[in-house]
Amino acid sequence: RGPSGSGMDPFANVFGQQGMGGQQGGDMYGGGQSDNPYANLGKPAAEPEPEGPRVVAKGMKLGGVGGTKKKDSLMAAMAAEDGLLGGLGGSSGNAADAFGLGLAAPAAAPAVPAAPTAPATIVVEEKLAVQMTREGTIESSEVKGTITYTANTEAGTMANVAVNKNVYSAKCGNGWSFATHPKVDKKEYEQKGVLCLKGGKGFPLNRPVGILRWNYSGEDSAPFTVNCWPEDEGSGTINVNMEFELQRTDAVITDVNIVFPLGTTDPPVIESIDGQYKHDANSGMMCWHHDVIDQNNSTGSLEFSIAGHSVDSFFPVQIAFTSQSLMCPMEVTSLVSTANGSPIPNNMTVRVVPETYQCV
């Protein structure tokens, strides 16, 4: 399973340089545009505004109706939402250090997004926090989901956002928590699966509002695992075997970058590899890349040897990827005007974001 042959450099957002390693070896490089190989890891390329109206969000199917143990904390967090409380909410987190390494360079000023092409924008997002042992055992895994609604024009302010509540309530059971924003009409949501503001009020203009959140913790929320087995051969050489394995079989994971230190600036000697790799000689980092992990590419391995004495040098292993495979089978089924019931054209994004995904 080698390069995809698309002509694109899958490592462009990892080390900020061109070139890649093939199946049995490849171009090595040093130095360059950034001293921090993690600086761009996990930062998705700027997405163009989706074309045309769209209200369908695809998700994954998983078991049963949620508990309420975490609802109070979810409600408290939503009460601080920027959208409806006059900008008094908190920040969205430290995006410059997405993997908790303390290595990220100061974040550059974000690019100015293109003007929205529809009256409304909907983002259905799940953030993952996963920690594994070196053997690939999941120590902790948590999913935090949000539907965020933005009215881009006056036509988008008076809106009813309908979701498939009956479906995900039946499939998301023990361990799941769901909470609406405090200013969302809870009765409409509970009875009809409709997210709208209390008292017939409109959404604020040009201000994202998190209208629904969900939370789940469990080993089955990690879509795939990674293990790393370094062995000191006793001759100044360490042999390293790494593997990944898909856990959620209906997940499709794309643009997977598994990045780890080598403990030396020497290049690795690749014994065998599924996928592609790249070595940054300047920082002593290596990236193992896969275009797609799914049912058709559910396992993969990498074996290499390198000069060294410490088997601890290869950790933490940090993982970044993109995906639209939500764990909660959440779907936006319609978006209509509260004034006349007509559909509101909208642009929708569905995404899974690995906030932290590591093997330590």
Side-chain angles (χ1 to χ4, degrees):
R1 285 170 289 197
S4 61
S6 64
M8 301 290 289
D9 181 3
F11 302 98
N13 289 332
V14 180
F15 297 128
Q17 302 197 0
Q18 295 181 346
M20 66 183 70
Q23 286 202 326
Q24 295 297 329
D27 297 334
M28 306 302 178
Y29 75 99
Q33 299 174 1
S34 172
D35 292 331
N36 172 23
Y38 286 109
N40 293 319
L41 185 63
K43 295 182 181 179
E47 296 183 1
E49 189 76 15
E51 296 182 2
R54 196 166 56 170
V55 295
V56 177
K58 293 185 178 179
M60 299 182 64
K61 297 181 179 180
L62 209 9
V65 156
T68 59
K69 294 178 66 176
K70 297 183 180 179
K71 183 168 290 187
D72 290 343
S73 61
L74 284 171
M75 293 291 289
M78 297 186 81
E81 192 71 47
D82 285 348
L84 294 179
L85 298 182
L88 299 177
S91 66
S92 59
N94 185 2
D97 189 10
F99 294 88
L101 298 177
L103 296 176
V112 177
T117 58
T121 298
I122 301 174
V123 177
V124 183
E125 178 182 76
E126 285 186 341
K127 293 182 178 180
L128 286 176
V130 176
Q131 182 159 308
M132 297 167 282
T133 67
R134 298 179 180 187
E135 295 76 28
T137 300
I138 298 171
E139 289 188 325
S140 63
S141 183
E142 183 177 24
V143 175
K144 293 182 178 180
T146 308
I147 293 181
T148 302
Y149 181 82
T150 306
N152 301 319
T153 69
E154 290 292 342
T157 58
M158 304 302 296
N160 283 347
V161 183
V163 294
N164 60 333
K165 183 175 182 295
N166 290 339
V167 174
Y168 63 76
S169 292
K171 295 181 179 180
C172 298
N174 293 334
W176 287 85
S177 294
F178 293 86
T180 56
H181 191 285
K183 292 197 175 183
V184 164
D185 189 325
K186 190 171 183 179
K187 184 178 179 180
E188 285 291 301
Y189 168 71
E190 293 292 349
Q191 294 182 354
K192 303 177 183 178
V194 172
L195 298 159
C196 59
L197 299 191
K198 295 176 182 177
K201 294 182 179 179
F203 286 95
L205 190 62
N206 296 320
R207 190 182 299 165
V209 180
I211 53 177
L212 179 65
R213 288 184 177 175
W214 58 96
N215 183 284
Y216 176 78
S217 296
E219 293 182 3
D220 55 341
S221 61
F224 66 100
T225 59
V226 174
N227 64 57
C228 180
W229 294 78
E231 296 178 298
D232 189 347
E233 297 187 338
S235 58
T237 300
I238 295 179
N239 180 262
V240 181
N241 284 273
M242 300 183 71
E243 295 177 318
F244 73 81
E245 182 176 1
L246 185 68
Q247 300 293 302
R248 286 163 43 190
T249 56
D250 49 352
V252 177
I253 315 299
T254 53
D255 193 22
V256 181
N257 291 307
I258 302 170
V259 178
F260 49 92
L262 295 173
T264 177
T265 57
D266 291 346
V269 177
I270 305 299
E271 305 293 342
S272 63
I273 185 172
D274 296 320
Q276 304 161 265
Y277 82 98
K278 192 166 189 178
H279 171 232
D280 181 358
N282 185 55
S283 63
M285 303 294 294
M286 181 171 172
C287 176
W288 183 24
H289 174 86
H290 296 270
D291 290 340
V292 179
I293 296 177
D294 60 9
Q295 280 191 314
N296 296 319
N297 186 39
S298 60
T299 62
S301 62
L302 164 66
E303 181 180 1
F304 66 91
S305 58
I306 193 164
H309 298 278
S310 174
V311 295
D312 295 326
S313 300
F314 304 92
F315 302 94
V317 177
Q318 305 291 339
I319 303 146
F321 57 84
T322 60
S323 180
Q324 294 183 336
S325 297
L326 302 173
M327 183 179 185
C328 176
M330 179 68 64
E331 187 172 328
V332 176
T333 57
S334 69
L335 175 64
V336 299
S337 169
T338 59
N340 55 30
S342 61
I344 299 176
N346 66 92
N347 292 322
M348 179 179 293
T349 298
V350 178
R351 65 192 179 204
V352 175
V353 178
E355 278 195 316
T356 59
Y357 210 102
Q358 60 183 355
C359 175
V360 296

